[in-house]
Amino acid sequence: MVLGCSAADRRTVGSVFFSPELAPAQARRLHGEGAPVNHFPDGSARVSASRLTWRAGFVLGGRLAEGVRVSYLHHTLVADEGGSAAAGFTEAVEVVVRRVLECTGIRLAPEIDFVGDWPQRLRPAS
């Protein structure tokens, strides 16, 4: 993820969100909007979380929380040059999950392992 990145984009927590599985209507709608929807042999369809982040209006380099912003090169989260803390990344994840859900109707699930009560607020309902 960091190959060819400027020094400003090298501080990342890695992949932040799983690529969500889509309902058939969601897959058709996103495909119609030009999103690269991936179809799998088991019949499931997924779209990249980065595409949904872009679709929700987040901009490259945009600040999300104290010390955390969107990368300058792609729609993933990185630590700002001034540093960040776990609380900043947690807040940024919550901001992205909430806005993507509001804009697309799709709830992102974090790949990050949280400590404490964080997963209860961020994980999709079963």
Side-chain angles (χ1 to χ4, degrees):
M1 185 182 317
V2 298
L3 293 176
C5 290
S6 68
D9 274 359
R10 290 189 187 264
R11 296 189 62 207
T12 177
V13 295
S15 185
V16 179
F17 300 105
F18 289 105
S19 294
E21 188 169 341
L22 304 170
Q26 291 171 321
R28 285 190 300 277
R29 177 176 51 87
L30 288 169
H31 180 73
E33 294 174 2
V37 175
N38 300 299
H39 296 273
F40 297 92
D42 67 358
S44 67
R46 293 181 181 271
V47 68
S48 76
S50 292
R51 176 65 183 219
L52 296 175
T53 302
W54 169 82
R55 173 73 171 74
F58 292 98
V59 297
L60 297 179
R63 185 175 187 272
L64 296 168
E66 172 118 16
V68 183
R69 62 174 169 75
V70 177
S71 164
Y72 291 121
L73 300 176
H74 42 78
H75 287 84
T76 191
L77 311 185
V78 296
D80 220 348
E81 294 84 9
S84 62
F89 270 101
T90 300
E91 181 182 346
V93 167
E94 290 176 323
V95 166
V96 172
V97 167
R98 185 173 44 253
R99 190 179 315 165
V100 166
L101 180 61
E102 289 169 358
C103 293
T104 69
I106 299 168
R107 180 182 297 276
L108 294 177
E111 280 191 63
I112 301 168
D113 288 327
F114 291 92
V115 177
D117 294 332
W118 305 124
Q120 300 309 314
R121 293 197 322 248
L122 295 171
R123 300 283 179 198
S126 304

